[in-house]
Amino acid sequence: MNTVHFALQAGLSRLIIFFQSKGPDSAVEMGWKDYFMRVVPTALGTASDINLSNASLVFISVTFATMCKSAAPIFLLLFAFAFRLENPSIKLLGIIFVISIGVLLTVAKETEFDFWGFIFVTLAAVMSGFRWSMTQILLQKDTYGLKNPITLMSHVTPVMAIATMILSLLLDPWSDFQKNSYFDNPWHVMRSCLLMLIGGSLAFFMVLTEYILISATSAITVTIAGVVKEAVTILVAVFYFHDEFTWLKGVGLFTIMVGVSLFNWYKYEKLKRGPTNEDDVNSPQFTADAKYIILDDLEFQDEFEEEDT
């Protein structure tokens, strides 16, 4: 299913790029080194995030998986530290602590706890932090030529489709394919293909919207939207799938929401303050369109200016 979704996204993005071939952002010159060092890890991280999330649902409920996946901002911050998108601070460490407490509360006394389900969804949260950090770098850094969200999608989705197809061939029980109730007669095959087409189209527009938000605004918007999405997912799982929802899970979820909201507030205040001195104002890194300051780039620019003087 994921392979079809990724392949459909790759096809749609390539089709849009084809019709935009006369635009200024159509020609992207990227060396193989940058492609394998930047684009391929981003694609593999995204594919791992989605596939591990889906795999966890085989073992645990949607509600429990969504609560555990809410820990993704922790790993987003850790990768932001590693990639020098953020400087470590007491406030950020405090936010990580609050979110961690919330995750522990949701896991405590979980009657449907499954070790492998928890491992899969936790790894998915790790991959989520990694892939969003890499996506922000690709969308914000001019030298890669991938500031157009459609262009970025056309580069990452083929790798995602190939990686998912290989995993599917190795792990999925293809011998039972014809016995599956979704593909046991022509009508079911046609219905399943239609559902995959609808699901793939929705996934395409969802990912495109997320990329546009990061490119046009900042990751804070995606994070806020993600909190709302998780809350809606839990409500649907509780009322439609009748997942168990205890008061302890509610407290844990509320704690996670508080932690994520503190993170959003911290990012908003930081963006609102902007540059702190005149040198920063004159720096080309601090433009109205800049959402994340790549610290390594600033250090390189300072060294370059010192050599000129």
Side-chain angles (χ1 to χ4, degrees):
M1 179 72 77
N2 285 337
T3 305
V4 176
H5 287 178
F6 294 149
L8 180 60
Q9 292 177 39
L12 287 174
S13 59
R14 289 287 181 181
L15 184 64
I16 295 174
I17 290 294
F18 174 77
F19 284 109
Q20 291 181 341
S21 58
K22 295 182 180 180
D25 297 330
S26 58
V28 177
E29 296 181 1
M30 175 178 288
W32 286 107
K33 181 180 179 181
D34 283 336
Y35 184 81
F36 282 104
M37 292 292 292
R38 303 292 183 179
V39 175
V40 171
T42 304
L44 293 179
T46 305
S48 299
D49 176 15
I50 297 173
N51 288 315
L52 287 168
S53 296
N54 290 345
S56 69
L57 296 177
V58 177
F59 305 97
I60 57 180
S61 64
V62 174
T63 302
F64 185 54
T66 303
M67 290 179 176
C68 294
K69 191 71 181 291
S70 299
I74 295 177
F75 302 105
L76 174 62
L77 284 174
L78 294 178
F79 280 112
F81 295 157
F83 296 148
R84 297 185 61 78
L85 296 173
E86 287 283 356
N87 277 322
S89 66
I90 298 299
K91 289 182 179 180
L92 287 177
L93 293 177
I95 291 170
I96 291 177
F97 178 76
V98 171
I99 297 176
S100 301
I101 293 297
V103 174
L104 289 176
L105 288 174
T106 60
V107 175
K109 297 184 179 180
E110 169 61 35
T111 57
E112 299 179 1
F113 180 85
D114 183 273
F115 176 76
W116 286 112
F118 178 72
I119 292 296
F120 285 157
V121 75
T122 302
L123 289 175
V126 174
M127 289 294 100
S128 178
F130 172 76
R131 65 126 161 177
W132 285 125
S133 297
M134 292 297 296
T135 301
Q136 290 161 5
I137 293 174
L138 292 176
L139 285 172
Q140 296 293 336
K141 198 166 183 178
D142 295 334
T143 54
Y144 298 131
L146 297 175
K147 296 189 70 174
N148 185 341
I150 293 290
T151 304
L152 178 60
M153 284 192 68
S154 68
H155 279 70
V156 299
T157 47
V159 180
M160 292 161 56
I162 293 172
T164 304
M165 182 179 65
I166 293 174
L167 287 175
S168 178
L169 291 174
L170 292 175
L171 302 178
D172 288 342
W174 285 92
S175 58
D176 300 334
F177 182 77
Q178 293 182 344
K179 301 177 184 178
N180 192 292
S181 60
Y182 292 99
F183 299 96
D184 56 356
N185 62 59
W187 163 246
H188 287 171
V189 171
M190 185 167 52
R191 184 184 63 180
S192 299
C193 290
L194 180 61
L195 289 174
M196 287 188 289
L197 179 63
I198 295 173
S201 300
L202 291 174
F204 170 80
F205 288 110
M206 181 188 72
V207 175
L208 177 61
T209 302
E210 291 171 338
Y211 284 2
I212 291 174
L213 284 173
I214 292 179
S215 178
T217 58
S218 68
I220 183 174
T221 309
V222 178
T223 308
I224 293 173
V227 173
V228 176
K229 182 187 71 173
E230 289 163 1
V232 172
T233 301
I234 291 173
L235 288 176
V236 172
V238 170
F239 289 105
Y240 186 78
F241 295 108
H242 305 291
D243 285 357
E244 184 182 2
F245 190 81
T246 63
W247 68 269
L248 190 61
K249 286 183 179 180
V251 174
L253 179 62
F254 177 77
T255 305
I256 292 172
M257 296 296 184
V258 170
V260 173
S261 298
L262 288 173
F263 174 57
N264 293 331
W265 172 80
Y266 171 83
K267 292 298 297 180
Y268 174 74
E269 290 294 323
K270 187 174 180 180
L271 289 172
K272 189 170 66 173
R273 287 197 305 268
T276 57
N277 57 57
E278 291 185 6
D279 292 336
D280 291 341
V281 173
N282 296 327
S283 172
Q285 296 289 336
F286 291 95
T287 62
D289 295 329
K291 314 302 178 306
Y292 280 84
I293 309 304
I294 301 176
L295 302 179
D296 286 333
D297 291 349
L298 290 180
E299 291 178 357
F300 174 79
Q301 181 186 347
D302 292 339
E303 292 175 0
F304 183 76
E305 290 177 351
E306 288 177 1
E307 291 177 0
D308 288 343
T309 56

